[in-house]
Amino acid sequence: MAAMTQTINFTSRPAVQARSSSARSAVPVGRKAFSHSTLSLRTNKATRASKSLQVRAAQSSDEGLDVEQLVKDLQNRWDKVENKTAVAVYGVGAVVLLWFSSTIVSAVNSVPLVPKLLELVGLGYTSWFVYRYLLFKSSRQELIQDVDELKKKITGAAEEVSGK
């Protein structure tokens, strides 16, 4: 018997050729047979989905941040910094520390049983934190006060208030 060659065209895939005899299926094993109407229906749905995606992307770009204003704000903040070399050194140190901690975490993660043990420690700490600070209203108020004090220490607002 002579072998037949059939070409199946998908819009997002290259042409697929399947050889079969008249006794076997025209589509290779593992492939689903599609009729012409099913393929055109799927193509139309994909085209409509891509058009709607393009419209959504265009709409969301209009509502985004004003990049020029962001750059101006950053320039103003950078101009206000007195010791620029120290800020640059701290920034580079933070990047190096982040890279180093990532290396250590990946090394610890490769040791058997350690990741599961650390998961248990994290789960235990999370449970304690929820019980200690989030479960009761009085402890939530205490947490809010602690966070506010920490924010004041970091931003320097506590020094400005006490200095007036």
Side-chain angles (χ1 to χ4, degrees):
M1 290 191 177
M4 289 181 8
T5 302
Q6 181 182 6
T7 304
I8 302 172
N9 291 321
F10 293 97
T11 57
S12 62
R13 296 183 186 156
V16 177
Q17 293 185 350
R19 290 188 179 184
S20 65
S21 64
S22 59
R24 291 187 171 184
S25 171
V27 179
V29 177
R31 299 246 186 225
K32 190 175 181 182
F34 295 105
S35 66
H36 178 67
S37 62
T38 305
L39 285 176
S40 63
L41 180 63
R42 287 182 182 217
T43 304
N44 290 339
K45 284 182 180 179
T47 304
R48 278 187 263 141
S50 66
K51 286 181 183 178
S52 66
L53 181 62
Q54 291 170 354
V55 169
R56 287 182 189 147
Q59 290 174 352
S60 66
S61 64
D62 295 339
E63 298 172 0
L65 293 174
D66 186 16
V67 176
E68 293 177 11
Q69 184 64 32
L70 181 65
V71 170
K72 287 179 184 176
D73 289 343
L74 289 175
Q75 285 176 344
N76 289 338
R77 287 187 182 187
W78 182 252
D79 290 339
K80 290 179 183 178
V81 173
E82 294 177 12
N83 195 355
K84 294 179 179 164
T85 56
V87 171
V89 168
Y90 282 132
V92 170
V95 170
V96 169
L97 186 62
L98 183 67
W99 169 79
F100 185 68
S101 63
S102 172
T103 305
I104 289 180
V105 167
S106 63
V108 167
N109 197 27
S110 65
V111 177
L113 296 176
V114 172
K116 294 295 179 183
L117 177 68
L118 292 178
E119 269 185 52
L120 287 174
V121 169
L123 183 63
Y125 181 77
T126 303
S127 301
W128 173 82
F129 185 85
V130 166
Y131 175 75
R132 172 66 176 93
Y133 289 109
L134 302 178
L135 200 57
F136 304 108
K137 186 175 182 176
S138 61
S139 60
R140 283 194 298 267
Q141 294 297 328
E142 181 184 345
L143 177 64
I144 290 171
Q145 288 175 355
D146 289 345
V147 169
D148 287 341
E149 287 177 17
L150 183 62
K151 283 194 295 190
K152 287 178 183 176
K153 285 181 183 177
I154 291 173
T155 60
E159 293 173 3
E160 292 174 6
V161 172
S162 65
K164 286 185 179 180

